[in-house]
Amino acid sequence: DKEWKVIDYQRLERSYKFKNFKEALDFTNQVGELAEKEGHHPDIYLSWGKVLVKLWTHKINGLHENDFILAAKIDELTKA
Amino acid sequence: DKEWKVIDYQRLERSYKFKNFKEALDFTNQVGELAEKEGHHPDIYLSWGKVLVKLWTHKINGLHENDFILAAKIDELTKA
């Protein structure tokens, strides 16, 4: 998918495609490292050649400005 | 969960708990490395302090002996 989707008005989801498992795992680690740095952790669904990222703010069970900032930073990882 | 569950007669699922995101990410990498070595790749759902592993054989859209072997090897990782 080329964009983030808003699901049920309460979370952001985007999937990223890769050419194999290893590249998807590498991206998972990049997102994980970013999440640790930001102190904000998405759910990451890793499968062969694909990573689905789900992002929301647990405390409010919905979306906060920080979710959109992290979404943009995750997108930046794919452009590096 | 302490055991693997069979879901819809066609896949194995087990979740593993960890004390933080980093340990869950480390386990994801261990499972990923094992998957690459075995040439058999589960889906891995990583969230804060938790990893859900889903395992099946895509070619037959069901369970094969190799799935049970990989499940046992994934369990071994947690005992290392």
Side-chain angles (χ1 to χ4, degrees), chain B residues 8-38:
Chain B
D8 296 335
Y9 302 99
Q10 63 180 12
R11 65 178 194 275
L12 295 175
E13 289 191 11
R14 182 172 175 182
S15 66
Y16 300 87
K17 295 276 177 67
F18 299 93
K19 67 175 188 227
N20 54 38
F21 181 82
K22 181 62 168 56
E23 289 196 4
L25 179 59
D26 288 347
F27 181 68
T28 297
N29 277 295
Q30 287 181 288
V31 174
E33 193 181 325
L34 179 62
E36 287 284 88
K37 202 170 75 179
E38 301 283 326

Side-chain angles (χ1 to χ4, degrees), chain A residues 59-76:
Chain A
K59 204 163 53 179
I60 59 172
N61 197 28
L63 291 168
H64 180 270
E65 188 184 5
N66 285 342
D67 295 303
F68 296 93
I69 292 170
L70 186 55
K73 289 184 176 176
I74 291 169
D75 285 342
E76 286 299 316

Side-chain angles (χ1 to χ4, degrees), chain A residues 21-22 25 28-29 31-33 35-36 41-48 54 56, chain B residues 21-22 25 28-29 31-33 35-36 41-48 54 56:
Chain A
F21 181 82
K22 181 63 168 54
L25 180 59
T28 297
N29 278 296
V31 174
E33 193 180 327
E36 287 285 88
H41 300 84
D43 282 12
I44 304 173
Y45 192 111
L46 164 66
S47 52
W48 200 95
K54 299 183 182 189
W56 73 98
Chain B
F21 181 82
K22 181 62 168 56
L25 179 59
T28 297
N29 277 295
V31 174
E33 193 181 325
E36 287 284 88
H41 300 83
D43 282 12
I44 305 173
Y45 193 110
L46 165 66
S47 52
W48 200 95
K54 299 184 183 190
W56 73 100

